[in-house]
Coordinates of all heavy atoms in Angstrom, one line a residue:
M1 N -5.9 -4.8 -15.9 CA -7.0 -4.4 -15.0 C -8.1 -5.5 -15.0 O -8.2 -6.2 -16.0 CB -7.6 -3.1 -15.4 CG -6.6 -1.9 -15.4 SD -5.7 -1.7 -13.8 CE -4.0 -2.0 -14.3
V2 N -8.9 -5.5 -14.0 CA -9.9 -6.5 -13.8 C -10.9 -6.5 -15.0 O -11.3 -5.4 -15.4 CB -10.6 -6.4 -12.5 CG1 -11.4 -5.2 -12.3 CG2 -11.5 -7.7 -12.2
S3 N -11.2 -7.7 -15.5 CA -12.2 -7.8 -16.6 C -13.6 -8.0 -16.1 O -13.8 -8.6 -15.0 CB -11.7 -9.0 -17.4 OG -12.8 -9.4 -18.2
G4 N -14.6 -7.6 -16.8 CA -15.9 -7.9 -16.4 C -16.3 -9.3 -16.5 O -17.4 -9.7 -16.0
E5 N -15.5 -10.2 -17.1 CA -15.8 -11.6 -17.2 C -15.9 -12.3 -15.8 O -16.5 -13.3 -15.7 CB -14.7 -12.3 -18.1 CG -14.7 -11.8 -19.5 CD -13.5 -12.3 -20.3 OE1 -12.5 -12.8 -19.6 OE2 -13.5 -12.3 -21.5
F6 N -15.2 -11.7 -14.8 CA -15.3 -12.4 -13.5 C -16.7 -12.4 -13.0 O -17.0 -13.2 -12.2 CB -14.3 -11.6 -12.5 CG -12.9 -11.9 -12.8 CD1 -12.1 -11.0 -13.4 CD2 -12.3 -13.1 -12.5 CE1 -10.7 -11.2 -13.7 CE2 -11.0 -13.4 -12.8 CZ -10.2 -12.5 -13.4
R7 N -17.5 -11.4 -13.4 CA -18.9 -11.3 -12.9 C -19.7 -12.5 -13.3 O -20.6 -12.9 -12.6 CB -19.5 -10.1 -13.4 CG -19.0 -8.8 -12.8 CD -19.5 -8.6 -11.4 NE -19.2 -7.3 -10.9 CZ -19.0 -7.0 -9.6 NH1 -19.2 -8.0 -8.7 NH2 -18.7 -5.9 -9.2
D8 N -19.3 -13.1 -14.4 CA -20.0 -14.3 -14.9 C -19.7 -15.6 -14.1 O -20.5 -16.5 -14.2 CB -19.7 -14.5 -16.4 CG -20.1 -13.3 -17.3 OD1 -21.0 -12.6 -16.9 OD2 -19.4 -13.1 -18.3
V9 N -18.6 -15.6 -13.5 CA -18.2 -16.9 -12.8 C -18.0 -16.7 -11.3 O -17.8 -17.7 -10.7 CB -16.9 -17.4 -13.4 CG1 -17.1 -17.7 -14.9 CG2 -15.8 -16.3 -13.3
F10 N -18.2 -15.5 -10.8 CA -18.0 -15.4 -9.3 C -19.1 -14.4 -8.8 O -19.2 -13.3 -9.3 CB -16.6 -14.8 -9.0 CG -16.3 -14.6 -7.6 CD1 -16.1 -15.7 -6.8 CD2 -16.3 -13.4 -7.0 CE1 -15.9 -15.6 -5.4 CE2 -16.0 -13.2 -5.6 CZ -15.8 -14.4 -4.8
M11 N -19.8 -14.9 -7.8 CA -21.0 -14.2 -7.4 C -20.7 -13.3 -6.2 O -21.5 -12.5 -5.8 CB -22.1 -15.2 -7.0 CG -22.6 -16.0 -8.1 SD -23.2 -15.0 -9.5 CE -22.1 -15.5 -10.8
G12 N -19.5 -13.4 -5.6 CA -19.2 -12.6 -4.4 C -18.6 -11.2 -4.8 O -18.6 -10.9 -6.0
A13 N -18.2 -10.5 -3.8 CA -17.6 -9.2 -4.0 C -16.2 -9.4 -4.6 O -15.4 -10.2 -4.3 CB -17.4 -8.5 -2.7
I14 N -16.0 -8.6 -5.6 CA -14.7 -8.6 -6.3 C -13.8 -7.5 -5.9 O -14.2 -6.3 -6.0 CB -14.9 -8.6 -7.9 CG1 -15.7 -9.8 -8.3 CG2 -13.6 -8.4 -8.6 CD1 -16.0 -9.8 -9.8
I15 N -12.7 -7.8 -5.3 CA -11.7 -6.8 -4.9 C -10.5 -7.0 -5.8 O -9.8 -8.0 -5.8 CB -11.2 -7.1 -3.4 CG1 -12.4 -7.1 -2.5 CG2 -10.2 -6.0 -3.0 CD1 -12.1 -7.5 -1.1
A16 N -10.2 -6.0 -6.6 CA -9.1 -6.0 -7.6 C -7.9 -5.2 -7.0 O -8.1 -4.3 -6.2 CB -9.5 -5.4 -8.9
N17 N -6.7 -5.5 -7.5 CA -5.6 -4.7 -7.1 C -4.4 -4.9 -8.1 O -4.6 -5.7 -9.1 CB -5.1 -5.0 -5.7 CG -4.3 -6.3 -5.6 OD1 -4.3 -7.2 -6.5 ND2 -3.6 -6.5 -4.5
S18 N -3.4 -4.2 -7.9 CA -2.1 -4.3 -8.7 C -2.1 -3.3 -9.8 O -2.7 -3.5 -10.8 CB -1.9 -5.7 -9.2 OG -0.5 -5.8 -9.6
G19 N -1.4 -2.2 -9.5 CA -1.1 -1.2 -10.5 C -2.2 -0.2 -10.7 O -2.2 0.6 -11.7
Y20 N -3.2 -0.2 -9.8 CA -4.3 0.8 -10.0 C -3.9 2.2 -9.6 O -3.2 2.4 -8.6 CB -5.5 0.3 -9.2 CG -6.3 -0.8 -9.8 CD1 -6.0 -2.1 -9.7 CD2 -7.4 -0.5 -10.7 CE1 -6.7 -3.1 -10.3 CE2 -8.1 -1.5 -11.3 CZ -7.7 -2.8 -11.1 OH -8.5 -3.8 -11.8
T21 N -4.5 3.1 -10.3 CA -4.4 4.5 -9.9 C -5.9 4.9 -9.5 O -6.8 4.1 -9.7 CB -4.1 5.4 -11.1 OG1 -5.1 5.3 -12.1 CG2 -2.7 5.1 -11.7
R22 N -6.0 6.1 -9.0 CA -7.3 6.6 -8.5 C -8.3 6.5 -9.7 O -9.4 6.1 -9.6 CB -7.2 8.0 -8.0 CG -8.5 8.7 -7.7 CD -8.1 10.1 -7.2 NE -9.3 10.9 -6.7 CZ -10.0 11.7 -7.5 NH1 -9.7 11.8 -8.8 NH2 -11.0 12.3 -7.1
E23 N -7.8 7.0 -10.9 CA -8.7 7.1 -12.1 C -9.0 5.7 -12.6 O -10.2 5.5 -12.9 CB -7.9 7.9 -13.2 CG -7.8 9.4 -12.8 CD -6.7 9.7 -11.7 OE1 -5.8 8.8 -11.5 OE2 -6.8 10.7 -11.1
I24 N -8.1 4.8 -12.7 CA -8.3 3.5 -13.2 C -9.2 2.7 -12.2 O -10.1 2.0 -12.6 CB -7.0 2.7 -13.4 CG1 -6.2 3.4 -14.5 CG2 -7.3 1.3 -13.8 CD1 -4.8 2.9 -14.7
A25 N -9.0 2.9 -10.9 CA -9.9 2.3 -9.9 C -11.3 2.7 -10.0 O -12.3 1.9 -10.0 CB -9.3 2.6 -8.5
S26 N -11.5 4.0 -10.2 CA -12.8 4.6 -10.3 C -13.5 4.0 -11.6 O -14.7 3.7 -11.5 CB -12.8 6.1 -10.4 OG -12.3 6.7 -9.2
A27 N -12.8 3.9 -12.6 CA -13.3 3.4 -13.9 C -13.8 2.0 -13.7 O -14.8 1.6 -14.2 CB -12.3 3.6 -15.0
A28 N -12.9 1.2 -13.0 CA -13.3 -0.2 -12.9 C -14.6 -0.4 -12.0 O -15.4 -1.3 -12.3 CB -12.1 -1.0 -12.2
I29 N -14.7 0.4 -11.0 CA -15.9 0.4 -10.2 C -17.1 0.9 -10.9 O -18.2 0.3 -10.9 CB -15.7 1.1 -8.9 CG1 -14.7 0.3 -8.0 CG2 -17.0 1.3 -8.1 CD1 -14.2 1.0 -6.8
Q30 N -16.9 2.0 -11.6 CA -18.0 2.6 -12.4 C -18.5 1.6 -13.5 O -19.7 1.5 -13.8 CB -17.6 3.9 -13.1 CG -17.4 5.0 -12.2 CD -18.7 5.5 -11.6 OE1 -19.7 5.6 -12.2 NE2 -18.6 6.0 -10.3
A31 N -17.6 0.8 -14.1 CA -17.9 -0.1 -15.1 C -18.6 -1.4 -14.5 O -19.1 -2.2 -15.2 CB -16.7 -0.5 -15.9
G32 N -18.5 -1.5 -13.2 CA -19.1 -2.7 -12.5 C -18.2 -3.9 -12.5 O -18.7 -5.0 -12.2
N33 N -17.0 -3.7 -12.9 CA -16.0 -4.8 -13.0 C -15.5 -5.2 -11.6 O -14.9 -6.3 -11.4 CB -14.9 -4.5 -13.9 CG -15.4 -4.4 -15.4 OD1 -16.5 -4.8 -15.7 ND2 -14.6 -3.8 -16.2
A34 N -15.5 -4.3 -10.6 CA -15.0 -4.6 -9.3 C -15.9 -3.8 -8.3 O -16.5 -2.8 -8.6 CB -13.5 -4.1 -9.2
D35 N -15.9 -4.4 -7.1 CA -16.6 -3.7 -6.0 C -15.6 -2.8 -5.1 O -16.0 -1.8 -4.6 CB -17.2 -4.8 -5.1 CG -18.3 -5.6 -5.9 OD1 -19.3 -5.0 -6.3 OD2 -18.0 -6.8 -6.0
L36 N -14.4 -3.3 -5.0 CA -13.4 -2.6 -4.2 C -12.1 -2.7 -5.0 O -11.8 -3.7 -5.7 CB -13.3 -3.2 -2.8 CG -14.4 -3.1 -1.9 CD1 -14.2 -4.0 -0.7 CD2 -14.6 -1.7 -1.4
I37 N -11.2 -1.7 -4.7 CA -9.9 -1.8 -5.2 C -8.9 -1.7 -4.1 O -9.0 -0.8 -3.2 CB -9.6 -0.6 -6.2 CG1 -10.6 -0.6 -7.3 CG2 -8.1 -0.7 -6.8 CD1 -10.6 -1.8 -8.3
G38 N -8.0 -2.6 -4.0 CA -6.9 -2.5 -3.0 C -5.7 -1.8 -3.5 O -5.3 -1.9 -4.7
F39 N -5.0 -1.1 -2.6 CA -3.8 -0.4 -3.0 C -2.7 -0.8 -2.1 O -2.8 -0.9 -0.9 CB -4.0 1.1 -2.9 CG -5.0 1.7 -3.9 CD1 -6.3 1.8 -3.6 CD2 -4.5 2.1 -5.1 CE1 -7.2 2.3 -4.5 CE2 -5.4 2.6 -6.1 CZ -6.7 2.7 -5.8
G40 N -1.6 -1.2 -2.7 CA -0.4 -1.6 -2.0 C 0.7 -0.6 -1.9 O 0.8 0.1 -1.0
R41 N 1.4 -0.4 -3.0 CA 2.5 0.5 -3.1 C 2.1 2.0 -2.8 O 2.8 2.7 -2.0 CB 3.3 0.4 -4.4 CG 4.1 -0.9 -4.5 CD 4.5 -1.2 -5.9 NE 3.3 -1.6 -6.7 CZ 3.3 -1.9 -8.0 NH1 4.5 -1.9 -8.6 NH2 2.2 -2.2 -8.7
P42 N 1.0 2.4 -3.4 CA 0.6 3.8 -3.1 C 0.3 4.1 -1.6 O 0.6 5.2 -1.1 CB -0.7 4.0 -3.9 CG -0.6 3.0 -5.0 CD 0.1 1.8 -4.4
I43 N -0.2 3.1 -0.9 CA -0.5 3.4 0.6 C 0.8 3.4 1.4 O 0.9 4.0 2.4 CB -1.5 2.3 1.1 CG1 -2.1 2.8 2.4 CG2 -0.8 1.0 1.4 CD1 -3.1 3.9 2.3
I44 N 1.9 2.7 0.9 CA 3.1 2.8 1.6 C 3.7 4.2 1.5 O 4.1 4.8 2.6 CB 4.2 1.8 1.0 CG1 3.7 0.4 1.2 CG2 5.6 2.1 1.5 CD1 4.6 -0.7 0.5
S45 N 3.7 4.8 0.4 CA 4.3 6.1 0.2 C 3.4 7.3 0.5 O 3.8 8.5 0.5 CB 4.9 6.3 -1.2 OG 4.0 6.1 -2.2
N46 N 2.1 7.0 0.7 CA 1.1 8.0 1.0 C 0.2 7.6 2.2 O -0.8 7.0 2.0 CB 0.2 8.3 -0.2 CG 1.0 8.8 -1.4 OD1 1.3 10.0 -1.5 ND2 1.4 7.9 -2.3
P47 N 0.7 8.0 3.4 CA -0.1 7.5 4.6 C -1.5 8.1 4.6 O -2.4 7.6 5.3 CB 0.8 8.1 5.8 CG 1.6 9.1 5.2 CD 1.9 8.7 3.8
D48 N -1.7 9.2 3.9 CA -3.0 9.8 3.8 C -3.6 9.6 2.4 O -4.3 10.5 1.9 CB -2.9 11.3 4.1 CG -1.9 12.0 3.2 OD1 -1.1 11.3 2.5 OD2 -1.8 13.3 3.1
L49 N -3.4 8.4 1.9 CA -3.9 8.1 0.5 C -5.4 8.4 0.3 O -5.8 8.9 -0.7 CB -3.6 6.7 0.2 CG -3.9 6.3 -1.3 CD1 -3.0 7.1 -2.3 CD2 -3.7 4.8 -1.5
V50 N -6.2 8.0 1.3 CA -7.6 8.2 1.2 C -7.9 9.7 1.0 O -8.7 10.1 0.2 CB -8.3 7.6 2.4 CG1 -9.8 8.0 2.3 CG2 -8.1 6.1 2.4
E51 N -7.3 10.5 1.9 CA -7.6 12.0 1.8 C -7.1 12.5 0.5 O -7.7 13.4 -0.1 CB -6.9 12.7 2.9 CG -7.6 12.5 4.3 CD -7.2 11.1 4.9 OE1 -6.3 10.4 4.4 OE2 -7.9 10.8 5.9
R52 N -5.9 12.0 0.0 CA -5.4 12.5 -1.3 C -6.3 12.2 -2.4 O -6.6 13.0 -3.3 CB -4.0 11.9 -1.5 CG -2.9 12.5 -0.6 CD -1.6 11.8 -0.9 NE -0.6 12.2 0.1 CZ 0.5 12.9 -0.2 NH1 0.8 13.2 -1.5 NH2 1.4 13.2 0.7
F53 N -6.8 11.0 -2.4 CA -7.8 10.6 -3.5 C -9.1 11.4 -3.4 O -9.6 11.9 -4.4 CB -8.1 9.1 -3.3 CG -7.1 8.1 -3.9 CD1 -7.2 6.8 -3.8 CD2 -6.0 8.6 -4.6 CE1 -6.3 5.9 -4.3 CE2 -5.1 7.7 -5.2 CZ -5.2 6.4 -5.0
A54 N -9.6 11.6 -2.2 CA -10.8 12.3 -2.0 C -10.7 13.7 -2.5 O -11.7 14.3 -3.0 CB -11.2 12.2 -0.5
N55 N -9.5 14.3 -2.3 CA -9.4 15.7 -2.6 C -8.6 16.0 -4.0 O -8.5 17.1 -4.3 CB -8.6 16.4 -1.5 CG -9.4 16.5 -0.2 OD1 -10.3 17.3 -0.1 ND2 -9.0 15.7 0.8
G56 N -8.3 14.9 -4.6 CA -7.6 15.0 -5.9 C -6.2 15.6 -5.7 O -5.6 16.2 -6.7
W57 N -5.6 15.4 -4.6 CA -4.2 15.8 -4.3 C -3.2 14.9 -5.0 O -3.4 13.7 -5.2 CB -3.9 15.9 -2.8 CG -4.8 16.9 -2.1 CD1 -5.4 18.0 -2.6 CD2 -5.1 16.8 -0.7 NE1 -6.1 18.6 -1.6 CE2 -5.9 17.9 -0.4 CE3 -4.7 16.0 0.4 CZ2 -6.4 18.2 0.9 CZ3 -5.2 16.2 1.7 CH2 -6.1 17.3 1.9
S58 N -2.0 15.5 -5.3 CA -0.9 14.7 -5.9 C -0.4 13.7 -4.9 O -0.5 13.8 -3.7 CB 0.2 15.6 -6.4 OG 0.7 16.3 -5.3
L59 N 0.3 12.7 -5.4 CA 0.9 11.6 -4.6 C 2.4 11.8 -4.4 O 3.0 12.4 -5.2 CB 0.6 10.2 -5.2 CG -0.8 9.8 -5.4 CD1 -0.9 8.4 -5.9 CD2 -1.7 10.1 -4.2
N60 N 2.9 11.3 -3.3 CA 4.3 11.3 -3.1 C 5.0 10.3 -4.1 O 4.3 9.4 -4.7 CB 4.7 10.7 -1.7 CG 4.4 11.7 -0.6 OD1 4.5 12.9 -0.8 ND2 3.9 11.2 0.5
P61 N 6.3 10.5 -4.4 CA 7.0 9.5 -5.3 C 6.8 8.1 -4.7 O 6.7 7.9 -3.5 CB 8.4 10.0 -5.2 CG 8.3 11.4 -4.8 CD 7.2 11.5 -3.9
A62 N 6.9 7.1 -5.6 CA 6.7 5.7 -5.2 C 7.8 5.3 -4.2 O 8.9 5.8 -4.2 CB 6.8 4.8 -6.4
A63 N 7.4 4.4 -3.3 CA 8.4 3.9 -2.3 C 9.5 3.1 -3.1 O 9.3 2.5 -4.1 CB 7.7 2.9 -1.3
D64 N 10.7 3.2 -2.5 CA 11.9 2.5 -3.1 C 11.8 1.0 -2.8 O 11.9 0.6 -1.6 CB 13.1 3.1 -2.5 CG 14.4 2.4 -2.9 OD1 14.3 1.6 -3.8 OD2 15.5 2.7 -2.3
P65 N 11.7 0.2 -3.8 CA 11.6 -1.3 -3.6 C 12.8 -1.8 -2.9 O 12.8 -2.9 -2.3 CB 11.5 -1.8 -5.0 CG 11.1 -0.7 -5.9 CD 11.6 0.6 -5.3
G66 N 13.9 -1.1 -2.9 CA 15.1 -1.5 -2.3 C 15.0 -1.6 -0.8 O 15.9 -2.3 -0.2
V67 N 14.0 -1.0 -0.2 CA 13.9 -1.0 1.3 C 12.7 -1.9 1.7 O 12.5 -2.0 2.9 CB 13.8 0.4 1.9 CG1 15.0 1.2 1.6 CG2 12.5 1.1 1.4
W68 N 12.0 -2.5 0.8 CA 10.9 -3.3 1.2 C 11.4 -4.6 1.9 O 12.5 -5.1 1.6 CB 10.1 -3.7 -0.1 CG 9.4 -2.6 -0.7 CD1 9.2 -1.4 -0.2 CD2 8.8 -2.6 -2.0 NE1 8.5 -0.6 -1.1 CE2 8.2 -1.3 -2.2 CE3 8.6 -3.5 -3.0 CZ2 7.5 -0.9 -3.3 CZ3 8.0 -3.2 -4.2 CH2 7.4 -1.9 -4.3
F69 N 10.6 -5.1 2.7 CA 10.9 -6.3 3.5 C 12.2 -6.2 4.3 O 12.9 -7.1 4.6 CB 11.1 -7.5 2.5 CG 9.9 -7.7 1.6 CD1 10.0 -7.3 0.2 CD2 8.6 -8.1 2.1 CE1 8.9 -7.5 -0.6 CE2 7.5 -8.2 1.2 CZ 7.7 -7.9 -0.1
S70 N 12.4 -4.9 4.8 CA 13.5 -4.7 5.7 C 12.9 -4.6 7.1 O 11.7 -4.7 7.3 CB 14.2 -3.4 5.3 OG 13.4 -2.3 5.6
F71 N 13.8 -4.3 8.1 CA 13.3 -4.2 9.4 C 13.5 -2.8 10.0 O 13.6 -2.6 11.1 CB 14.1 -5.2 10.3 CG 13.8 -6.7 9.9 CD1 14.6 -7.3 9.1 CD2 12.6 -7.3 10.4 CE1 14.3 -8.6 8.7 CE2 12.4 -8.6 10.1 CZ 13.2 -9.3 9.2
D72 N 13.5 -1.9 9.0 CA 13.7 -0.5 9.4 C 12.4 0.3 8.9 O 11.7 -0.1 8.0 CB 14.9 0.1 8.6 CG 15.4 1.4 9.2 OD1 14.6 2.1 9.8 OD2 16.5 1.7 8.9
K73 N 12.2 1.4 9.6 CA 11.0 2.3 9.2 C 11.3 3.0 7.9 O 10.4 3.5 7.3 CB 10.7 3.3 10.3 CG 11.8 4.3 10.5 CD 11.4 5.3 11.6 CE 12.4 6.4 11.8 NZ 12.1 7.3 12.9
K74 N 12.6 3.2 7.5 CA 12.9 3.9 6.3 C 12.2 3.4 5.1 O 12.4 2.2 4.8 CB 14.4 4.0 6.1 CG 14.9 4.8 4.9 CD 16.4 4.9 4.9 CE 16.8 5.5 3.6 NZ 16.0 6.7 3.1
G75 N 11.5 4.2 4.4 CA 10.8 3.8 3.2 C 9.5 3.2 3.5 O 8.8 2.8 2.5
Y76 N 9.1 3.1 4.7 CA 7.8 2.5 5.1 C 6.9 3.5 5.8 O 5.8 3.7 5.4 CB 8.0 1.3 6.0 CG 8.1 0.0 5.3 CD1 9.3 -0.8 5.4 CD2 7.1 -0.5 4.4 CE1 9.4 -2.0 4.7 CE2 7.3 -1.7 3.8 CZ 8.4 -2.5 3.9 OH 8.6 -3.7 3.3
T77 N 7.5 4.1 6.8 CA 6.6 4.9 7.7 C 7.1 6.4 7.8 O 6.7 7.1 8.7 CB 6.5 4.3 9.1 OG1 7.8 4.3 9.7 CG2 5.8 3.0 9.1
D78 N 8.0 6.7 6.9 CA 8.6 8.1 6.9 C 8.2 9.0 5.8 O 8.8 10.0 5.5 CB 10.1 8.0 7.0 CG 10.7 7.2 5.8 OD1 9.9 6.6 5.1 OD2 12.0 7.2 5.7
F79 N 7.1 8.6 5.1 CA 6.5 9.5 4.1 C 5.6 10.5 4.6 O 4.8 10.3 5.5 CB 5.8 8.6 3.0 CG 6.7 7.8 2.2 CD1 7.0 6.5 2.5 CD2 7.2 8.4 1.0 CE1 7.8 5.8 1.7 CE2 8.0 7.6 0.2 CZ 8.4 6.3 0.5
P80 N 5.7 11.8 4.1 CA 4.9 12.9 4.7 C 3.5 12.8 4.2 O 3.2 12.3 3.1 CB 5.6 14.1 4.2 CG 6.3 13.7 2.9 CD 6.6 12.2 3.1
T81 N 2.6 13.4 5.0 CA 1.2 13.6 4.5 C 1.2 14.8 3.6 O 2.2 15.6 3.6 CB 0.3 13.8 5.7 OG1 0.8 14.9 6.5 CG2 0.1 12.6 6.5
Y82 N 0.1 15.0 2.9 CA 0.1 16.1 1.9 C 0.1 17.5 2.6 O -0.6 17.7 3.7 CB -1.2 16.0 1.1 CG -1.3 17.1 0.0 CD1 -0.7 16.9 -1.2 CD2 -2.1 18.2 0.2 CE1 -0.8 17.8 -2.2 CE2 -2.2 19.2 -0.8 CZ -1.5 18.9 -2.0 OH -1.6 19.9 -3.0
R83 N 0.8 18.4 2.1 CA 0.9 19.8 2.6 C 0.7 20.7 1.4 O 1.3 20.6 0.4 CB 2.2 20.1 3.2 CG 2.4 19.5 4.6 CD 3.5 20.2 5.3 NE 3.7 19.5 6.6 CZ 4.5 18.5 6.8 NH1 5.2 18.0 5.8 NH2 4.6 17.9 8.0
K84 N -0.2 21.7 1.6 CA -0.4 22.7 0.6 C 0.6 23.8 0.8 O 0.8 24.2 1.9 CB -1.8 23.3 0.7 CG -2.9 22.3 0.3 CD -4.3 23.0 0.5 CE -5.3 22.0 0.5 NZ -6.6 22.4 1.1
F85 N 1.2 24.2 -0.3 CA 2.2 25.3 -0.2 C 1.7 26.6 -0.8 O 0.9 26.6 -1.7 CB 3.5 24.9 -0.8 CG 4.2 23.8 -0.1 CD1 4.1 22.5 -0.5 CD2 4.9 24.1 1.1 CE1 4.7 21.5 0.1 CE2 5.5 23.0 1.8 CZ 5.4 21.7 1.3
Ligands
FMN101 C1 6.3 -4.1 0.5 C2 5.1 -4.9 0.1 C3 4.7 -6.0 0.9 C4 3.6 -6.7 0.6 N1 3.2 -7.7 1.5 C5 2.1 -8.5 1.2 C6 1.7 -9.5 2.0 O1 2.2 -9.7 3.1 N2 0.6 -10.2 1.7 C7 -0.1 -10.0 0.5 O2 -1.1 -10.7 0.2 N3 0.3 -9.0 -0.3 C8 1.3 -8.3 0.0 N4 1.8 -7.3 -0.9 C9 1.0 -7.1 -2.2 C10 0.0 -6.0 -2.1 O3 -1.0 -6.3 -1.2 C11 -0.6 -5.7 -3.5 O4 -1.2 -6.9 -4.0 C12 0.5 -5.3 -4.5 O5 1.3 -4.3 -3.9 C13 -0.1 -4.8 -5.8 O6 -0.9 -3.6 -5.6 P1 -0.3 -2.1 -5.9 O7 0.0 -2.1 -7.4 O8 -1.3 -1.1 -5.5 O9 1.0 -2.0 -5.2 C14 2.9 -6.5 -0.6 C15 3.3 -5.5 -1.4 C16 4.4 -4.7 -1.1 C17 4.8 -3.6 -2.0

């Protein structure tokens, strides 16, 4: 996760990513170590990721890396939004 040391050497906005969860992202921002957190894999499998984070809803299973960089929608745009049962 992003270290606070970057603040000493970089004066711009710090956008961190890679492996963040909602909780770890919030902690990094609260600690002042980052201004924004980018999400890659979670946004692929959760088209409503922002709403899920905002409401504390669970996430879909991670996208299958076997279909990444393909030319098909499978594994990219076929994940469901959150539904309460
Ligand atoms: C399928 C896939 C495609 C990606 N394509 C790009 C890309 O074109 N350019 C880029 O800078 N990063 C790309 N990334 C990297 C993501 O932006 C992000 O850095 C990475 O997924 C780590 O964040 P995460 O742990 O939230 O997934 C890609 C990641 C995935 C999984």
Side-chain angles (χ1 to χ4, degrees):
M1 300 308 119
V2 64
S3 161
E5 294 172 343
F6 287 105
R7 290 286 186 207
D8 298 331
V9 296
F10 184 70
M11 298 302 116
I14 295 176
I15 306 173
N17 77 343
S18 196
Y20 280 86
T21 62
R22 175 181 183 268
E23 291 72 23
I24 296 171
S26 294
I29 291 174
Q30 289 290 324
N33 295 343
D35 298 296
L36 295 168
I37 305 295
F39 291 91
R41 289 164 292 178
I43 198 72
I44 293 176
S45 57
N46 297 276
D48 55 348
L49 185 65
V50 173
E51 289 78 10
R52 288 177 188 245
F53 279 175
N55 292 288
W57 296 337
S58 60
L59 303 187
N60 287 324
D64 174 10
V67 300
W68 291 349
F69 307 108
S70 68
F71 296 95
D72 194 339
K73 67 179 181 182
K74 181 172 172 42
Y76 272 118
T77 60
D78 55 351
F79 286 92
T81 55
Y82 184 81
R83 285 197 183 88
K84 293 179 195 160
F85 293 101

